């Protein structure tokens, strides 16, 4: 994977993490505390500025209660669809 493709993947992952975090109304402080990283590091993950490791990605997904398939590939399972439908209906 080329560097630009690599970073665009991490940018997409970061955007999905941020979107779910905001829907769940978690601040960066809350989510970063749940997974044991600094707010700055979470910000950098959400902005696609750093590569997120597999272990950290799994921890973030567990904390958000969301599938890693959605965060990595954008494939929405039933729980993801419900999350977004609930957000629209609020």
């Amino acid at each position: 994977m080329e560097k630009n493709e690599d970073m665009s993947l991490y940018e997409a992952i970061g955007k999905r993490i941020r979107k779910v975090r905001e829907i769940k109304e978690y601040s960066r402080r809350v989510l970063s505390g749940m997974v044991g990283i600094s707010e700055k590091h979470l910000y950098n993950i959400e902005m696609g500025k750093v590569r997120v490791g597999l272990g950290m990605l799994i921890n973030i997904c567990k904390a958000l209660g969301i599938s890693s398939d959605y965060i990595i590939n954008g494939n929405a399972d039933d729980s993801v669809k419900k999350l977004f439908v609930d957000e629209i209906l609020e």
Side-chain angles (χ1 to χ4, degrees):
M1 187 178 306
E2 291 183 24
K3 186 170 178 122
N4 287 341
E5 290 175 10
D6 194 31
M7 287 318 294
S8 67
L9 170 65
Y10 287 100
E11 288 169 1
I13 287 170
K15 284 180 183 179
R16 288 191 280 270
I17 290 170
R18 182 178 180 181
K19 180 65 177 170
V20 173
R21 177 181 61 77
E22 289 174 344
I23 289 172
K24 294 205 167 227
E25 299 181 351
Y26 291 165
S27 66
R28 275 196 192 102
R29 176 173 290 167
V30 167
L31 182 57
S32 64
M34 291 170 75
V35 298
I37 59 175
S38 69
E39 289 178 62
K40 179 70 173 173
H41 189 61
L42 179 57
Y43 170 81
N44 286 330
I45 290 170
E46 290 181 348
M47 296 298 115
K49 294 181 177 186
V50 296
R51 295 177 180 191
V52 59
L54 182 58
M56 180 53 59
L57 189 60
I58 289 169
N59 289 341
I60 291 170
C61 291
K62 285 181 180 178
L64 292 172
I66 204 86
S67 74
S68 58
D69 191 33
Y70 170 70
I71 296 298
I72 296 169
N73 299 310
N75 297 328
D77 63 10
D78 289 341
S79 66
V80 174
K81 290 175 185 173
K82 181 178 181 339
L83 180 68
F84 285 105
V85 167
D86 289 348
E87 171 67 10
I88 291 168
L89 295 177
E90 285 186 355

